[in-house]
Amino acid sequence: MKDKDFAPVVPRSKKTRLRYRVAVLGGGSWATAIIKIITSNLEHIYWWMRSEEAAAEIAKYGHNPKYLSSVFINPEEVKVGTDIKQIVSKSDYVIIVTPSAYLHQSLQPLKRSQLHKKKIILAVKGIVPETMQLISDYMQSQFKVPLENLSIISGPSHAEEIAKEKFTYLTAASVNQELAETVAKFFTNRYCRTSVSNDVMGAELAIVLKNIYALGAGIYSGLGYGDNFIAAYVANCVKEMKYFVDQVYPNADRHISDSVYLGDLLVTAYSTYSRNRLFGIMIGHGLSVRVSLLELRMVSEGYTACRCVHEINKKYNAHIPIVETIYGILYENNNVSSEMKRIAEHFV
Protein backbone atom coordinates (compact mmCIF):
# COMPACT_ATOMS: atom_id res chain seq x y z
CA MET A 1 0.00 0.00 0.00
CA LYS A 2 1.36 3.42 -0.97
CA ASP A 3 1.64 6.40 1.37
CA LYS A 4 -0.98 8.28 -0.62
CA ASP A 5 -3.55 5.59 0.17
CA PHE A 6 -3.58 6.94 3.74
CA ALA A 7 -4.30 10.53 2.66
CA PRO A 8 -7.98 11.15 1.90
CA VAL A 9 -7.76 14.95 2.29
CA VAL A 10 -9.15 16.66 -0.78
CA PRO A 11 -6.72 19.25 -2.19
CA ARG A 12 -7.91 22.84 -1.98
CA SER A 13 -8.84 24.48 -5.25
CA LYS A 14 -7.42 27.92 -5.92
CA LYS A 15 -10.78 29.42 -5.01
CA THR A 16 -10.85 27.76 -1.58
CA ARG A 17 -7.25 28.47 -0.51
CA LEU A 18 -6.82 30.30 2.78
CA ARG A 19 -6.29 34.02 2.33
CA TYR A 20 -3.74 34.53 5.11
CA ARG A 21 -0.58 36.38 4.09
CA VAL A 22 2.38 34.23 5.05
CA ALA A 23 6.13 34.85 4.79
CA VAL A 24 8.75 32.10 4.86
CA LEU A 25 12.27 33.09 5.94
CA GLY A 26 15.05 30.73 4.84
CA GLY A 27 16.29 29.17 1.63
CA GLY A 28 17.35 25.62 2.50
CA SER A 29 15.80 22.17 2.19
CA TRP A 30 13.28 22.51 5.02
CA ALA A 31 12.20 25.97 3.84
CA THR A 32 11.66 24.54 0.35
CA ALA A 33 9.68 21.64 1.78
CA ILE A 34 7.51 24.03 3.80
CA ILE A 35 6.83 26.10 0.69
CA LYS A 36 5.72 22.92 -1.05
CA ILE A 37 3.33 22.03 1.79
CA ILE A 38 1.70 25.40 2.33
CA THR A 39 1.33 26.26 -1.35
CA SER A 40 -1.51 23.73 -1.50
CA ASN A 41 -3.41 25.68 1.20
CA LEU A 42 -2.50 29.36 1.01
CA GLU A 43 -3.18 32.06 -1.55
CA HIS A 44 -0.56 34.62 -0.51
CA ILE A 45 3.01 33.35 0.10
CA TYR A 46 6.16 35.46 0.25
CA TRP A 47 9.56 33.76 0.41
CA TRP A 48 12.74 35.43 1.65
CA MET A 49 16.14 33.94 0.97
CA ARG A 50 19.61 35.41 1.23
CA SER A 51 20.91 34.23 -2.15
CA GLU A 52 20.01 36.55 -5.02
CA GLU A 53 21.11 33.87 -7.47
CA ALA A 54 18.74 31.28 -5.98
CA ALA A 55 15.87 33.78 -5.83
CA ALA A 56 16.36 34.64 -9.50
CA GLU A 57 16.51 30.96 -10.42
CA ILE A 58 13.23 30.23 -8.64
CA ALA A 59 11.50 33.25 -10.15
CA LYS A 60 12.61 32.22 -13.65
CA TYR A 61 12.51 28.41 -13.60
CA GLY A 62 10.45 27.46 -10.53
CA HIS A 63 13.13 25.37 -8.81
CA ASN A 64 15.50 25.97 -5.89
CA PRO A 65 18.88 25.28 -7.55
CA LYS A 66 20.67 24.01 -4.42
CA TYR A 67 17.99 22.36 -2.29
CA LEU A 68 15.25 19.90 -3.26
CA SER A 69 15.64 20.99 -6.87
CA SER A 70 13.03 18.45 -7.99
CA VAL A 71 10.29 20.43 -6.22
CA PHE A 72 8.38 22.77 -8.53
CA ILE A 73 7.58 26.19 -7.11
CA ASN A 74 5.11 28.23 -9.12
CA PRO A 75 6.55 31.78 -9.30
CA GLU A 76 3.04 33.13 -9.79
CA GLU A 77 1.92 31.64 -6.47
CA VAL A 78 5.10 32.21 -4.42
CA LYS A 79 6.72 35.64 -4.53
CA VAL A 80 10.45 35.31 -3.88
CA GLY A 81 12.70 38.15 -2.73
CA THR A 82 15.96 38.97 -0.92
CA ASP A 83 14.74 42.03 1.00
CA ILE A 84 13.69 40.61 4.38
CA LYS A 85 12.02 43.84 5.49
CA GLN A 86 9.83 43.94 2.39
CA ILE A 87 8.88 40.26 2.63
CA VAL A 88 7.94 40.56 6.31
CA SER A 89 5.97 43.78 5.76
CA LYS A 90 3.62 41.97 3.36
CA SER A 91 2.75 39.20 5.79
CA ASP A 92 0.56 38.57 8.83
CA TYR A 93 2.24 35.25 9.66
CA VAL A 94 6.00 34.69 9.52
CA ILE A 95 7.44 31.17 9.30
CA ILE A 96 11.07 31.23 10.40
CA VAL A 97 13.13 28.41 8.87
CA THR A 98 16.62 29.93 8.93
CA PRO A 99 19.06 27.54 10.68
CA SER A 100 19.57 28.58 14.29
CA ALA A 101 23.31 29.11 13.71
CA TYR A 102 22.47 31.96 11.30
CA LEU A 103 19.22 33.20 12.82
CA HIS A 104 20.63 36.14 14.79
CA GLN A 105 22.49 37.47 11.76
CA SER A 106 19.56 36.92 9.40
CA LEU A 107 17.05 38.80 11.57
CA GLN A 108 19.35 41.73 12.38
CA PRO A 109 17.88 43.98 9.67
CA LEU A 110 14.45 43.73 11.32
CA LYS A 111 13.25 46.09 14.03
CA ARG A 112 10.93 45.03 16.83
CA SER A 113 8.18 47.17 15.38
CA GLN A 114 8.28 45.20 12.13
CA LEU A 115 7.19 42.05 13.94
CA HIS A 116 4.63 43.84 16.09
CA LYS A 117 1.31 41.94 16.16
CA LYS A 118 2.54 39.37 13.62
CA LYS A 119 2.11 35.67 14.35
CA ILE A 120 5.46 33.87 14.36
CA ILE A 121 5.73 30.19 13.41
CA LEU A 122 9.06 28.62 14.34
CA ALA A 123 10.29 25.81 12.13
CA VAL A 124 13.87 26.17 13.36
CA LYS A 125 15.48 23.22 15.11
CA GLY A 126 18.13 24.47 17.50
CA ILE A 127 19.35 27.16 19.86
CA VAL A 128 20.62 30.66 19.07
CA PRO A 129 24.36 30.32 19.84
CA GLU A 130 24.95 34.05 20.37
CA THR A 131 22.48 34.21 23.25
CA MET A 132 22.23 30.54 24.36
CA GLN A 133 18.44 30.70 24.03
CA LEU A 134 15.71 28.55 22.61
CA ILE A 135 14.28 30.24 19.52
CA SER A 136 11.01 31.09 21.28
CA ASP A 137 12.91 32.71 24.18
CA TYR A 138 15.03 34.61 21.69
CA MET A 139 11.99 35.97 19.84
CA GLN A 140 10.39 37.06 23.11
CA SER A 141 13.47 38.80 24.47
CA GLN A 142 14.96 40.27 21.28
CA PHE A 143 11.77 41.21 19.42
CA LYS A 144 9.22 41.34 22.28
CA VAL A 145 6.95 38.84 20.53
CA PRO A 146 4.32 37.72 23.08
CA LEU A 147 4.25 33.99 23.78
CA GLU A 148 0.62 33.85 22.62
CA ASN A 149 1.79 35.04 19.17
CA LEU A 150 4.34 32.21 18.88
CA SER A 151 3.86 28.73 17.50
CA ILE A 152 6.21 25.94 16.48
CA ILE A 153 5.79 23.36 13.75
CA SER A 154 7.66 20.12 14.25
CA GLY A 155 7.57 16.36 14.06
CA PRO A 156 9.40 13.55 12.25
CA SER A 157 9.74 15.29 8.91
CA HIS A 158 12.79 15.01 6.69
CA ALA A 159 12.54 17.51 3.86
CA GLU A 160 13.61 14.92 1.31
CA GLU A 161 10.53 12.82 2.07
CA ILE A 162 8.23 15.84 1.95
CA ALA A 163 9.62 16.49 -1.54
CA LYS A 164 8.53 12.97 -2.52
CA GLU A 165 5.13 13.46 -0.83
CA LYS A 166 5.75 10.68 1.67
CA PHE A 167 3.06 10.61 4.32
CA THR A 168 4.12 12.72 7.31
CA TYR A 169 2.76 13.66 10.76
CA LEU A 170 3.47 17.14 12.13
CA THR A 171 2.50 19.01 15.30
CA ALA A 172 1.61 22.70 15.65
CA ALA A 173 2.24 23.81 19.23
CA SER A 174 1.27 27.07 20.91
CA VAL A 175 -0.16 28.31 24.20
CA ASN A 176 -2.69 30.01 21.94
CA GLN A 177 -5.13 27.27 20.89
CA GLU A 178 -6.56 29.34 18.05
CA LEU A 179 -3.08 29.99 16.63
CA ALA A 180 -2.12 26.31 16.86
CA GLU A 181 -5.28 25.32 14.99
CA THR A 182 -4.64 27.92 12.28
CA VAL A 183 -1.07 26.74 11.80
CA ALA A 184 -2.32 23.16 11.61
CA LYS A 185 -4.54 24.20 8.69
CA PHE A 186 -1.53 25.66 6.89
CA PHE A 187 0.33 22.35 7.18
CA THR A 188 -2.41 19.79 6.55
CA ASN A 189 -2.76 18.47 3.03
CA ARG A 190 -2.91 15.24 1.03
CA TYR A 191 0.35 13.88 2.46
CA CYS A 192 0.68 15.80 5.77
CA ARG A 193 -1.43 15.47 8.92
CA THR A 194 -0.93 18.14 11.56
CA SER A 195 -2.19 17.87 15.14
CA VAL A 196 -2.14 20.59 17.81
CA SER A 197 -0.49 20.87 21.22
CA ASN A 198 -0.14 23.50 23.97
CA ASP A 199 3.34 22.30 24.98
CA VAL A 200 5.28 24.76 22.87
CA MET A 201 8.32 25.06 25.17
CA GLY A 202 8.57 21.36 25.98
CA ALA A 203 8.31 20.39 22.32
CA GLU A 204 10.92 22.96 21.38
CA LEU A 205 13.41 21.72 23.96
CA ALA A 206 12.77 18.13 22.84
CA ILE A 207 13.63 19.20 19.28
CA VAL A 208 16.98 20.48 20.50
CA LEU A 209 17.73 17.36 22.52
CA LYS A 210 16.85 14.90 19.74
CA ASN A 211 19.55 16.42 17.52
CA ILE A 212 22.15 15.74 20.23
CA TYR A 213 20.93 12.18 20.75
CA ALA A 214 20.94 11.54 16.99
CA LEU A 215 24.54 12.71 16.91
CA GLY A 216 25.31 10.16 19.64
CA ALA A 217 23.56 7.42 17.66
CA GLY A 218 25.83 8.27 14.76
CA ILE A 219 28.92 8.05 16.98
CA TYR A 220 27.92 4.58 18.18
CA SER A 221 27.24 3.50 14.61
CA GLY A 222 30.63 4.83 13.51
CA LEU A 223 32.28 2.91 16.35
CA GLY A 224 30.73 -0.31 15.04
CA TYR A 225 27.87 -0.84 17.48
CA GLY A 226 24.90 -2.67 15.96
CA ASP A 227 21.18 -2.11 15.73
CA ASN A 228 20.43 -4.06 18.91
CA PHE A 229 22.60 -1.73 20.96
CA ILE A 230 21.50 1.48 19.27
CA ALA A 231 17.86 0.62 19.95
CA ALA A 232 18.73 0.37 23.66
CA TYR A 233 20.66 3.63 23.42
CA VAL A 234 17.66 5.44 21.91
CA ALA A 235 15.39 4.03 24.63
CA ASN A 236 17.70 5.52 27.26
CA CYS A 237 17.74 8.81 25.36
CA VAL A 238 13.94 8.92 25.58
CA LYS A 239 14.11 8.60 29.37
CA GLU A 240 16.77 11.29 29.64
CA MET A 241 14.82 13.58 27.31
CA LYS A 242 11.63 13.23 29.33
CA TYR A 243 13.47 13.81 32.59
CA PHE A 244 15.23 16.97 31.39
CA VAL A 245 12.22 18.48 29.61
CA ASP A 246 10.09 17.88 32.71
CA GLN A 247 12.75 19.54 34.87
CA VAL A 248 12.91 22.65 32.70
CA TYR A 249 9.25 22.88 31.65
CA PRO A 250 6.92 20.87 33.92
CA ASN A 251 3.74 19.91 32.07
CA ALA A 252 1.39 17.22 33.34
CA ASP A 253 -0.24 16.82 29.90
CA ARG A 254 2.99 15.92 28.09
CA HIS A 255 3.17 12.44 26.51
CA ILE A 256 6.72 11.59 25.48
CA SER A 257 5.42 8.86 23.15
CA ASP A 258 3.80 11.48 20.87
CA SER A 259 5.37 11.86 17.46
CA VAL A 260 6.60 15.40 18.16
CA TYR A 261 8.87 13.94 20.87
CA LEU A 262 9.57 10.24 20.30
CA GLY A 263 8.83 10.18 16.57
CA ASP A 264 11.16 13.09 15.83
CA LEU A 265 13.91 11.49 17.91
CA LEU A 266 13.56 8.16 16.13
CA VAL A 267 13.68 9.53 12.60
CA THR A 268 16.65 11.76 13.39
CA ALA A 269 18.56 8.94 15.08
CA TYR A 270 17.96 6.32 12.39
CA SER A 271 17.38 8.03 9.05
CA THR A 272 20.03 8.19 6.36
CA TYR A 273 18.84 11.76 5.70
CA SER A 274 19.89 12.86 9.20
CA ARG A 275 22.78 15.34 9.17
CA ASN A 276 23.31 14.96 12.90
CA ARG A 277 23.59 11.18 12.61
CA LEU A 278 26.04 11.54 9.70
CA PHE A 279 28.15 14.01 11.67
CA GLY A 280 28.26 11.53 14.57
CA ILE A 281 29.29 8.69 12.25
CA MET A 282 32.29 10.76 11.14
CA ILE A 283 33.29 11.32 14.76
CA GLY A 284 32.90 7.59 15.45
CA HIS A 285 35.12 6.81 12.47
CA GLY A 286 37.90 8.84 14.06
CA LEU A 287 37.64 12.17 12.24
CA SER A 288 38.16 15.28 14.31
CA VAL A 289 35.26 17.61 15.05
CA ARG A 290 36.72 20.27 12.78
CA VAL A 291 37.24 17.91 9.84
CA SER A 292 33.79 16.38 10.33
CA LEU A 293 32.15 19.80 10.19
CA LEU A 294 34.03 20.61 6.99
CA GLU A 295 33.14 17.26 5.43
CA LEU A 296 29.46 17.62 6.35
CA ARG A 297 29.14 20.89 4.38
CA MET A 298 25.82 21.49 6.14
CA VAL A 299 24.73 22.70 9.55
CA SER A 300 24.74 20.09 12.33
CA GLU A 301 22.24 21.52 14.78
CA GLY A 302 23.24 18.90 17.34
CA TYR A 303 26.81 20.21 17.53
CA THR A 304 25.79 23.72 18.60
CA ALA A 305 22.84 22.46 20.63
CA CYS A 306 25.10 20.30 22.77
CA ARG A 307 27.10 23.28 24.00
CA CYS A 308 23.96 25.31 24.59
CA VAL A 309 22.18 22.57 26.58
CA HIS A 310 25.37 22.12 28.64
CA GLU A 311 25.24 25.82 29.51
CA ILE A 312 21.49 25.77 30.20
CA ASN A 313 21.93 22.82 32.56
CA LYS A 314 24.24 24.83 34.80
CA LYS A 315 21.06 26.42 36.11
CA TYR A 316 19.23 23.11 36.70
CA ASN A 317 22.12 20.75 37.50
CA ALA A 318 20.07 17.88 36.07
CA HIS A 319 21.56 14.43 35.59
CA ILE A 320 21.84 14.13 31.79
CA PRO A 321 24.90 11.88 31.29
CA ILE A 322 24.32 11.20 27.59
CA VAL A 323 24.29 14.90 26.69
CA GLU A 324 27.24 15.66 28.97
CA THR A 325 29.30 12.78 27.55
CA ILE A 326 28.72 13.94 23.97
CA TYR A 327 29.59 17.49 25.05
CA GLY A 328 32.89 16.27 26.48
CA ILE A 329 33.75 14.54 23.22
CA LEU A 330 32.86 17.51 21.03
CA TYR A 331 34.20 20.36 23.14
CA GLU A 332 36.73 18.92 25.58
CA ASN A 333 38.47 16.45 23.26
CA ASN A 334 37.58 13.45 25.45
CA ASN A 335 38.28 9.99 24.05
CA VAL A 336 35.38 8.93 21.86
CA SER A 337 35.49 5.16 22.30
CA SER A 338 36.11 5.03 26.04
CA GLU A 339 33.56 7.74 26.88
CA MET A 340 30.77 6.19 24.83
CA LYS A 341 31.58 2.77 26.27
CA ARG A 342 31.53 4.20 29.82
CA ILE A 343 27.97 5.53 29.63
CA ALA A 344 26.80 2.39 27.83
CA GLU A 345 27.55 0.42 31.00
CA HIS A 346 24.65 2.22 32.68
CA PHE A 347 22.00 1.69 29.99
CA VAL A 348 19.03 -0.52 30.81
Side-chain angles (χ1 to χ4, degrees):
M1 186 175 287
K2 297 180 180 179
D3 289 332
K4 293 176 183 178
D5 294 332
F6 289 93
V9 170
V10 177
R12 292 180 184 271
S13 67
K14 288 187 177 181
K15 291 183 179 180
T16 61
R17 287 181 184 174
L18 304 172
R19 301 187 65 119
Y20 300 98
R21 297 180 178 275
V22 178
V24 176
L25 310 183
S29 296
W30 187 216
T32 307
I34 284 176
I35 289 289
K36 177 178 172 62
I37 295 170
I38 67 175
T39 299
S40 59
N41 291 321
L42 296 169
E43 185 174 346
H44 304 288
I45 301 174
Y46 308 94
W47 189 5
W48 173 82
M49 54 176 54
R50 185 182 301 278
S51 170
E52 293 185 1
E53 180 183 355
E57 188 93 355
I58 293 168
K60 186 174 182 179
Y61 299 110
H63 295 276
N64 190 338
K66 292 185 178 181
Y67 303 97
L68 302 187
S69 57
S70 64
V71 172
F72 175 68
I73 300 144
N74 189 336
E76 294 182 1
E77 297 180 346
V78 179
K79 306 303 180 183
V80 186
T82 57
D83 186 334
I84 192 170
K85 292 181 180 179
Q86 186 180 67
I87 293 292
V88 169
S89 70
K90 294 179 178 180
S91 67
D92 302 310
Y93 291 76
V94 179
I95 304 175
I96 299 178
V97 205
T98 305
S100 59
Y102 310 125
L103 182 67
H104 183 71
Q105 180 183 1
S106 297
L107 298 186
Q108 274 191 332
L110 295 175
K111 297 179 180 179
R112 290 177 178 175
S113 60
Q114 290 170 302
L115 293 179
H116 184 58
K117 293 186 179 180
K118 294 188 186 294
K119 303 298 192 298
I120 309 298
I121 305 166
L122 304 176
V124 189
K125 301 182 177 183
I127 292 179
V128 181
E130 290 87 350
T131 62
M132 295 289 183
Q133 291 175 295
L134 292 172
I135 312 299
S136 58
D137 289 332
Y138 175 84
M139 296 305 297
Q140 290 178 81
S141 63
Q142 297 294 316
F143 290 94
K144 302 303 179 183
V145 177
L147 186 57
E148 58 267 24
N149 285 356
L150 284 170
S151 174
I152 68 167
I153 187 75
S154 188
S157 51
H158 283 303
E160 295 83 355
E161 292 201 353
I162 296 292
K164 297 175 182 177
E165 299 188 359
K166 295 290 185 180
F167 200 67
T168 300
Y169 284 91
L170 299 172
T171 298
S174 177
V175 298
N176 181 340
Q177 179 77 10
E178 182 180 355
L179 176 58
E181 291 175 355
T182 299
V183 174
K185 291 177 183 177
F186 293 175
F187 285 86
T188 296
N189 65 12
R190 180 167 46 81
Y191 50 89
C192 285
R193 290 291 180 278
T194 305
S195 58
V196 299
S197 168
N198 64 2
D199 186 24
V200 59
M201 304 302 291
E204 188 178 15
L205 182 55
I207 292 168
V208 172
L209 290 167
K210 62 95 178 179
N211 287 328
I212 303 170
Y213 296 137
L215 200 160
I219 293 176
Y220 276 124
S221 182
L223 289 170
Y225 287 76
D227 292 344
N228 293 348
F229 173 84
I230 292 176
Y233 161 75
V234 172
N236 281 268
C237 289
V238 173
K239 290 192 293 184
E240 184 172 294
M241 173 189 283
K242 183 180 187 308
Y243 164 72
F244 189 60
V245 173
D246 286 346
Q247 289 292 307
V248 180
Y249 300 113
N251 185 326
D253 295 330
R254 182 179 297 124
H255 301 284
I256 204 70
S257 60
D258 288 351
S259 62
V260 72
Y261 311 105
L262 178 58
D264 207 5
L265 169 60
L266 290 174
V267 77
T268 312
Y270 284 109
S271 176
T272 55
Y273 293 125
S274 172
R275 293 172 292 179
N276 293 291
R277 182 178 184 276
L278 178 58
F279 178 69
I281 288 173
M282 294 179 186
I283 300 294
H285 282 165
L287 296 181
S288 68
V289 171
R290 179 176 175 276
V291 170
S292 297
L293 289 171
L294 290 172
E295 287 290 324
L296 190 63
R297 297 180 182 178
M298 295 181 289
V299 175
S300 170
E301 298 282 11
Y303 172 70
T304 305
C306 198
R307 178 172 67 91
C308 294
V309 171
H310 171 78
E311 293 298 322
I312 289 171
N313 194 39
K314 290 180 178 179
K315 175 181 177 180
Y316 297 94
N317 198 29
H319 183 59
I320 48 174
I322 298 174
V323 170
E324 293 297 348
T325 297
I326 296 171
Y327 171 84
I329 290 169
L330 297 179
Y331 290 96
E332 297 178 346
N333 202 31
N334 291 345
N335 183 270
V336 178
S337 180
S338 62
E339 284 296 285
M340 297 304 278
K341 183 178 180 180
R342 175 183 59 79
I343 58 168
E345 298 295 329
H346 301 281
F347 292 165
V348 294

